[in-house]
Amino acid sequence: MSIPQVLTLTLTLIATAGCSALRGGPAVEVSTDDATLNSRWHANLASPANLAGAIQMNGSATMAPGSGDNSTTITLNLANASPGGVHPWAAHRGQCGDGMDNGVLGSGEAYPPLKIDSDGRATETATVSLPTPRTGNYFVVVRASTANAGTIVACGNLAPPTQ
């Protein structure tokens, strides 16, 4: 047998051993984290068009099952905000836009205010005592301040989990 034939045979054996269908263990591992990931709602937040040039906040939000069967965790990440600012926020039923708000999801007290750091960023989490919705329309809204709660500075519609 020539050297090229020996090398070819050796490489074939190595490749076959590495891809062996007889190797033990499952082909795909599934964990409980996968179940949570597939039940997570997502939103991209942005400042409304009427604030263009004045405020350009952006961010993301998720809504997912909490630690118990009767809880939902909502997490908000906000960027490009004024450092030192404090903003009320909440998840609501409905959609971003005038006349589309059907009320806060859960108790308003569940949502701690967003405190913007020196880089213009904030992250906050709220846990509401409701099962995570499977269908419907929901959004996350950030308001200018408690004194100016009528001004929305960022909003994002939550997209349902993929099925």
Side-chain angles (χ1 to χ4, degrees), residues 7 13 34 36 53 55 76-77 83 87 91 102-103 111 122 124 153-154 160:
L7 285 175
L13 289 173
D34 296 330
T36 301
I55 298 173
L76 172 64
N77 296 298
H87 301 281
N102 296 318
Y111 299 90
E124 199 55 74
V153 294

Side-chain angles (χ1 to χ4, degrees), residues 5-59:
Q5 289 175 326
V6 171
L7 285 175
T8 302
L9 181 60
T10 302
L11 291 174
T12 302
L13 289 173
I14 290 172
T16 303
C19 298
S20 176
L22 302 175
R23 189 176 353 160
V28 176
E29 292 185 31
V30 178
S31 72
T32 55
D33 292 339
D34 296 330
T36 301
L37 183 62
N38 290 337
S39 58
R40 187 170 294 157
W41 296 63
H42 296 275
N44 290 319
L45 279 76
S47 292
N50 65 329
L51 295 177
I55 298 173
Q56 292 300 306
M57 292 182 188
N58 59 65

Side-chain angles (χ1 to χ4, degrees), residues 108-134:
E109 290 80 37
Y111 299 90
L114 283 166
K115 296 178 181 169
I116 311 300
D117 68 15
S118 60
D119 291 329
R121 298 180 178 277
T123 297
E124 199 55 74
T125 299
T127 301
V128 295
S129 297
L130 295 169
T132 303
R134 295 184 185 267

